[in-house]
Amino acid sequence: VVAALDLLQRELVAANRILANEGVLDTFGHVSVRHPEDANRFFLSRSLAPELVTAADIIEFGLDCQPVRRTDVRLYAERVIHGSIYRLRSDVKAVCHYHAPALMPFCVTDVALVAVSHLGATMGRNVAVWDSRHDFGDTNLLVATDEQGTSLARALGPDWLVLMRRHGATVAGRSLREVVFRSIYANQNADILHRALVLGKIEPLTPGEVEAAAAVNLQPLAIDRAWECWKARMPDQAAIK
Ligand code: MN
């Protein structure tokens, strides 16, 4: 079990650095993974830019978002995003929260983020939208209380991606590699869609196409191939050994 956990924590380090290197996680994004043996726990870095995360920075949390072992290190204020989704969705094993520039136009307009590409289909049939104003009025936009986290997790519902108005996005997955894959390709789909809308009328994938394309792209064959590629092109190879 210790060896398996060690491996998972190293995967989480790689996930942080891949998502940063691929331009998805900025200084303020974060990615977590549920404990494989104890569904009531999850792993997330201490408060740190994702491209700097090492195995020593990974902290184990309960679903109340408190560290399992007492620590004095600073924690992400928005860790409630992770705990709230793990509480409401037993099928979710990994969560990523980010503010990638490619997605932001869809967080600040009413233009729907729809799947327009084969790989964008991994966003799922519906992209959920959450507006903190509806439940909380004027805030500093951080999702930092249990109530805010729960409200966001409810808005995600059964979907895989929820856009957060004027803030960013939160993505869920059935595995760490799946959440990394979905986050990167949601970003790429947003970029393609944005450019396409400038050119003219778009024709999104049909629900049936989304279903079929997502199923094929989320197989290990595709996910692992991409993972190895993203890993190989990271600048600091020693950090992910
Ligand atoms: Mn945020």
Side-chain angles (χ1 to χ4, degrees), residues 26 28-30 78 81 97-99 141-143 164 167-170:
D26 63 355
F28 296 103
H30 25 86
E78 292 194 302
I81 292 174
H97 167 64
Y98 61 93
H99 327 88
L141 295 189
L142 288 177
V143 179
M164 302 153 74
H167 180 160
T170 297

Side-chain angles (χ1 to χ4, degrees), residues 103-113 129 163 165-166 197:
L103 270 175
M104 290 310 293
F106 299 92
C107 299
V108 299
T109 64
D110 60 1
V111 179
L113 179 59
V129 178
L163 291 181
R165 285 276 175 245
R166 301 167 296 282
L197 286 167

